[in-house]
Amino acid sequence: LSARATFNGFTPLHYAVLNDNIPVINLLIEHGADPLIENEQGHLPSAYSLQQRKELLTQYEENVRQPFSFRVGEKILLVILIG
């Protein structure tokens, strides 16, 4: 990291990724952390991951981008998440 780096706009997920804390990353994702939130520099949390973690974080991002559906009574609602 640069001495000029700022941490403005970092989410808890950004910090967990920056610290390579896999248990906390998983906990945050399981409880609804959005991996598509950019910090003030326009970086997703995955931008700060170690190379071996990028695949895991990319999968989280893809899961959030994909539409999902759920049943309400007799109707199926399609919800599209836009990051």
Side-chain angles (χ1 to χ4, degrees), residues 8-77:
N8 295 334
F10 270 49
T11 65
L13 187 56
H14 281 91
Y15 286 113
V17 169
L18 191 61
N19 287 297
D20 195 36
N21 191 326
I22 297 302
V24 172
I25 292 169
N26 287 328
L27 181 72
L28 290 169
I29 293 294
E30 288 170 10
H31 287 83
D34 186 346
L36 300 179
I37 295 176
E38 298 176 347
N39 63 12
E40 287 189 5
Q41 290 78 38
H43 298 290
L44 297 173
S46 60
Y48 300 98
S49 66
L50 298 175
Q51 187 59 42
Q52 61 267 34
R53 306 290 187 240
K54 284 204 185 290
E55 184 177 323
L56 171 68
L57 290 161
T58 300
Q59 184 61 48
Y60 286 146
E61 291 168 4
E62 288 173 11
N63 288 344
V64 169
R65 286 187 176 108
Q66 291 180 7
F68 64 92
S69 63
F70 57 96
R71 197 172 286 279
V72 177
E74 295 291 316
K75 305 202 185 245
I76 296 177
L77 299 177

